[in-house]
């Protein structure tokens, strides 16, 4: 078919390569769309920039979720299931593609795509950094140009109720509603001894709250409310880490909490247990003393931990005595 102007949107032309089936899907807000894509330059060689089939898995976007490359939502909502179409998109629509491409490549390589843009987003990234880490993307960023996208809509568009939405896909209200559910699920899994799964639930809840916290002014009332909830979840997460014997990570998280909030009793208690496990006797005892100072009602728990610490230290000393005897013998 000849290329035609798509839906009267300036700077986009569409060519259908393979007709789709059925009626146009219902692309409601929150619907999930699954597709393969290939991105090419408009040069004579039609140089391929990215190809999801080569990566080995399709792409998903959520309609109405302010995806980085907004033009893809326009393109996809013109398509039927199983349709394959080629879209020519002018520079006005492709300026942020290098940033999206970098994130997709980082994920394909098993890296964290968020590390690079923790403090900035969108177009700001293009001015905040000199390189994207890929020569072809640096070239595109320096000289934006029209691009060609070949897109294949793979399956029925899923309504929000038909799939489990990841927390990053939730709006602010949904994130706040998800937190107590995730917290409760984490507690349930912890009691069942499923510590890895429990820690994942706590982490999801922390991410939701951190995201909401970025919208508040630091140290004001709402920010502090969220901070309190976050610290509770981090300490629950640390309890999972203790069970998984990841003691140094516990020390890192609890010490970070106490640097900012030195009155949190549970943080001292959890840190004391981690110190005891890595033979930091003085630090463990100091933290337990702080627990007693802040919360005298925890005396029994503190005495129990001190007995456990002393027993373990005695066992260690006995092992060392035996080792010395064997060496001398």
């Amino acid at each position: 078919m000849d290329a035609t102007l798509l839906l009267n949107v300036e700077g986009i032309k569409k060519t259908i390569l393979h007709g789709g089936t059925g009626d146009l899907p219902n692309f409601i807000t929150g619907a999930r769309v699954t597709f393969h894509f290939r991105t090419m330059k408009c040069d004579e060689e039609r140089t391929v920039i990215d190809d999801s089939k080569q990566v080995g898995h399709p792409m998903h976007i959520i309609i109405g979720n302010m995806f980085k490359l907004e033009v893809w939502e326009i393109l996809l909502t013109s398509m039927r299931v199983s349709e394959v179409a080629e879209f020519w998109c002018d520079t006005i629509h492709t300026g942020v593609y290098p940033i999206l491409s970098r994130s997709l490549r980082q994920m394909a390589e098993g890296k964290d795509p968020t590390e690079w843009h923790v403090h900035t987003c969108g177009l700001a990234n293009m001015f905040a950094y000199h390189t994207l880490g890929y020569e072809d993307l640096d070239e595109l960023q320096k000289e934006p140009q029209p691009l060609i996208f070949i897109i294949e809509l793979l399956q029925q568009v899923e309504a929000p109720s038909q799939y489990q939405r990841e927390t990053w896909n939730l709006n602010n209200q949904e994130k706040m509603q998800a937190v107590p559910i995730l917290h409760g699920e984490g507690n349930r899994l912890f009691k069942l001894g499923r510590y890895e799964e429990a820690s994942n639930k706590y982490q999801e809840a922390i991410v939701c709250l951190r995201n909401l916290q970025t919208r508040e002014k630091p140290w004001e009332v709402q920010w502090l409310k969220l901070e309190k909830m976050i610290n509770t979840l981090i300490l629950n997460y640390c309890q999972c880490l203790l069970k998984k014997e990841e003691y140094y990570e516990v020390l890192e998280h609890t010490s970070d909490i106490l640097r900012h909030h030195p009155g949190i009793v549970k943080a001292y208690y959890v840190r004391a247990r981690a110190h005891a496990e890595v033979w930091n006797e003085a630090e463990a005892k100091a933290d337990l003393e702080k627990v007693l100072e802040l919360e005298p009602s925890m005396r029994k728990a503190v005495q129990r931990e001190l007995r456990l610490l002393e027993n373990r230290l005695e066992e260690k000393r006995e092992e060392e005595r035996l080792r010395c005897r064997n060496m001398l013998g």
Side-chain angles (χ1 to χ4, degrees):
M1 293 179 64
D2 292 330
T4 56
L5 191 68
L6 170 64
L7 302 177
N8 295 318
V9 178
E10 182 184 356
I12 300 176
K13 293 180 182 179
K14 175 181 180 180
T15 305
I16 297 176
L17 305 179
H18 182 277
T21 58
D23 297 328
L24 202 66
N26 187 16
F27 294 100
I28 61 172
T29 298
R32 182 165 72 173
V33 184
T34 304
F35 61 99
H36 271 302
F37 74 95
R38 182 189 303 155
T39 305
M40 299 178 293
K41 292 184 178 180
C42 294
D43 54 15
E44 288 185 14
E45 296 80 15
R46 288 166 66 94
T47 304
V48 175
I49 301 170
D50 294 301
D51 188 333
S52 64
K53 288 187 177 179
Q54 287 186 357
V55 172
H57 54 78
M59 182 79 181
H60 303 283
I61 71 168
I62 308 299
I63 298 298
N65 207 46
M66 296 181 68
F67 185 66
K68 274 184 181 176
L69 194 67
E70 293 180 16
V71 71
W72 271 6
E73 188 169 310
I74 298 171
L75 309 184
L76 287 161
T77 53
S78 77
M79 299 180 71
R80 289 174 168 78
V81 173
S82 300
E83 179 180 326
V84 181
E86 178 175 310
F87 299 90
W88 174 89
C89 295
D90 205 353
T91 310
I92 58 171
H93 299 293
T94 62
V96 298
Y97 184 79
I99 296 169
L100 168 66
S101 177
R102 183 191 186 281
S103 294
L104 295 176
R105 293 181 188 186
Q106 292 280 285
M107 286 189 284
E109 293 166 11
K111 299 176 183 176
D112 181 357
T114 63
E115 287 180 358
W116 175 76
H117 56 85
V118 169
H119 302 295
T120 56
C121 61
L123 287 167
N125 280 332
M126 296 209 295
F127 303 104
Y129 298 88
H130 297 295
T131 179
L132 294 170
Y134 301 90
E135 286 186 16
D136 59 336
L137 300 184
D138 286 340
E139 179 191 333
L140 275 180
Q141 179 176 269
K142 187 177 179 181
E143 297 180 15
Q145 56 192 266
L147 295 174
I148 294 168
F149 301 108
I150 295 180
I151 296 178
E152 177 184 0
L153 188 58
L154 288 180
Q155 61 188 47
Q156 290 296 334
V157 174
E158 298 169 284
S161 60
Q162 292 177 308
Y163 67 95
Q164 185 173 353
R165 298 171 72 187
E166 296 180 41
T167 50
W168 62 269
N169 282 326
L170 305 178
N171 62 37
N172 291 348
Q173 183 180 356
E174 289 169 330
K175 282 175 183 169
M176 187 57 86
Q177 291 169 344
V179 167
I181 297 169
L182 291 165
H183 192 166
E185 186 66 9
N187 291 348
R188 185 183 70 82
L189 290 164
F190 185 89
K191 288 174 183 175
L192 292 172
R194 292 157 63 178
Y195 305 121
E196 183 66 35
E197 294 170 78
S199 66
N200 290 337
K201 294 297 179 183
Y202 294 139
Q203 281 183 301
E204 277 192 75
I206 291 164
V207 168
C208 286
L209 291 171
R210 287 284 190 215
N211 188 279
L212 292 169
Q213 198 181 37
T214 61
R215 291 160 170 75
E216 304 296 337
K217 193 170 181 179
W219 303 104
E220 292 202 345
V221 174
Q222 188 56 32
W223 188 94
L224 287 169
K225 284 181 180 177
L226 294 168
E227 181 79 351
K228 185 176 180 181
M229 295 167 70
I230 288 166
N231 288 335
T232 298
L233 285 160
I234 290 173
L235 291 171
N236 285 8
Y237 174 68
C238 286
Q239 299 275 28
C240 297
L241 295 178
L242 285 173
K243 294 291 187 181
K244 295 193 292 177
E245 301 183 0
E246 295 176 20
Y247 306 122
Y248 289 102
E249 190 176 345
V250 174
L251 293 175
E252 183 181 337
H253 289 305
T254 50
S255 295
D256 185 59
I257 288 175
L258 290 167
R259 268 193 296 274
H260 298 97
H261 308 282
I264 298 180
V265 177
K266 188 176 178 180
Y268 285 109
Y269 184 73
V270 172
R271 189 171 71 173
R273 292 180 62 195
H275 274 310
E277 293 291 347
V278 295
W279 309 107
N280 295 339
E281 180 183 1
E283 291 86 347
K285 287 181 176 178
D287 278 348
L288 289 170
E289 286 172 11
K290 193 69 178 177
V291 171
L292 271 182
E293 176 190 325
L294 294 170
E295 192 61 66
S297 64
M298 289 187 67
R299 181 169 298 278
K300 283 187 177 180
V302 168
Q303 288 174 341
R304 183 181 67 246
E305 291 299 327
L306 286 170
R307 282 195 301 273
L308 287 171
L309 174 60
E310 194 53 47
N311 290 340
R312 293 180 71 250
L313 289 168
E314 182 55 39
E315 287 173 9
K316 186 183 181 186
R317 285 190 286 266
E318 183 60 30
E319 285 174 10
E320 288 173 352
R321 283 194 290 269
L322 286 171
R323 193 179 302 114
C324 288
R325 274 199 217 107
N326 291 334
M327 287 174 66
L328 292 170

